[in-house]
Amino acid sequence: MKRLLLTLAMLAGSAALYGCATVKVEVDDAHEGYAIYSNGKKVCNDSRNCHVPVAGGDEMYLEAEKNGVVYGEAVIHRGDGGYSTQTILRRGTTESATKVAVKAVGTPMGLAAGLLLPLEYVTTTTEYFPTEVMIPVMPPDSAVLAYPWDQPDPSK
Amino acid sequence: MAMLFCTAMLCGCSKVYMPPVQVEGVHPDYGERLRVLTKQYVAIDDNVTLVEDERQSDRKLQLQLVRDTAGVVVVFEMRESKDNSLIWVYRHIAYDPNEFIPIVSRVSKEKIR
């Protein structure tokens, strides 16, 4: 009985945490706000104050958009007991911003399964997310100054 | 012959026509580079067949490169061939031509199919 109560309390705590688990998403442009999309859905109008609810599934694909143009993206891959964050186009500060993790229950299915399983199982279904992700949207300095788009392609 | 016909019927592939890339303030070489790359990535997808004749296509994929202050905007625009209605449009900034590959890879996997 005591064990059952403990399990239920743990589940309730996890459910509460799952409901409010968010990832703070920023861009490396200090001057302007970008709309943020998570897995194709708009989740923030302005990246200067953006906390994205943790999505279910193995991947969160985050995009930063301004005036209908995507400027950069980052992907959070989730695995057993951990996560990794990857920027697609440019190296950003994301790597250094993903050291701290919060716990959240992976899926509602996990919760349902947890009701029928011992406490140990519930803890092993817990997954991790970064608390902050920085999406690189700014051009590398050298590219801005150097790339001559109006000249013939030198690689041809 | 009959087998080929059956395969084509069962495949249910979408036939996509790609006109030449439109460029604004960008050398046509980059338009060609984007076109070749997109064809390579789309060819990987079994659900899509590229056709050379627009009359044989179900959809039309128009690519554009538009010069922007810091780079170029790569535009992918998918339209119905029969009435030219817009299905979707996706725009992504590229600061140098090496950024074409991840952009095209993503669009091919998530949008074009």
Side-chain angles (χ1 to χ4, degrees), chain B residues 11-87:
Chain B
C11 168
C13 303
S14 171
K15 297 187 184 76
V16 175
Y17 171 69
M18 270 178 54
V21 179
Q22 296 172 346
V23 292
E24 282 180 41
V26 178
H27 194 280
D29 280 359
Y30 298 105
E32 186 54 24
R33 186 156 155 181
L34 180 67
R35 179 178 157 80
V36 168
L37 204 57
T38 305
K39 284 177 89 168
Q40 287 171 348
Y41 274 90
V42 172
I44 297 169
D45 192 338
D46 292 337
N47 297 312
V48 178
T49 305
L50 288 175
V51 293
E52 294 299 321
D53 186 345
E54 187 174 0
R55 289 168 300 183
Q56 296 173 348
S57 66
D58 305 314
R59 297 180 296 160
K60 185 170 75 170
L61 178 62
Q62 178 68 64
L63 309 180
Q64 289 174 280
L65 289 175
V66 182
R67 191 78 173 90
D68 189 60
T69 319
V72 297
V73 179
V74 187
V75 184
F76 300 83
E77 205 176 75
M78 188 69 93
R79 292 182 178 274
E80 292 282 3
S81 297
K82 60 177 187 287
D83 57 8
N84 211 35
S85 59
L86 184 68
I87 302 171

Side-chain angles (χ1 to χ4, degrees), chain A residues 43-62:
Chain A
V43 286
C44 292
N45 288 321
D46 194 325
S47 53
R48 287 170 289 195
N49 181 22
C50 183
H51 297 269
V52 179
V54 164
D58 297 333
E59 187 179 282
M60 276 179 78
Y61 194 93
L62 300 163

Side-chain angles (χ1 to χ4, degrees), chain B residues 76 88 90 102-112:
Chain B
F76 300 83
W88 54 260
Y90 183 79
I103 294 169
V104 169
S105 167
R106 170 76 181 168
V107 172
S108 304
K109 274 193 282 190
E110 299 297 324
K111 294 273 189 184
I112 294 175

Side-chain angles (χ1 to χ4, degrees), chain A residues 51-90:
Chain A
H51 297 269
V52 179
V54 164
D58 297 333
E59 187 179 282
M60 276 179 78
Y61 194 93
L62 300 163
E63 293 171 289
E65 182 208 62
K66 189 177 68 176
N67 300 328
V69 178
V70 176
Y71 278 75
E73 49 271 282
V75 188
I76 304 169
H77 301 281
R78 299 187 296 170
D80 294 331
Y83 66 86
S84 65
T85 307
Q86 174 194 2
T87 55
I88 306 298
L89 292 179
R90 296 153 214 126

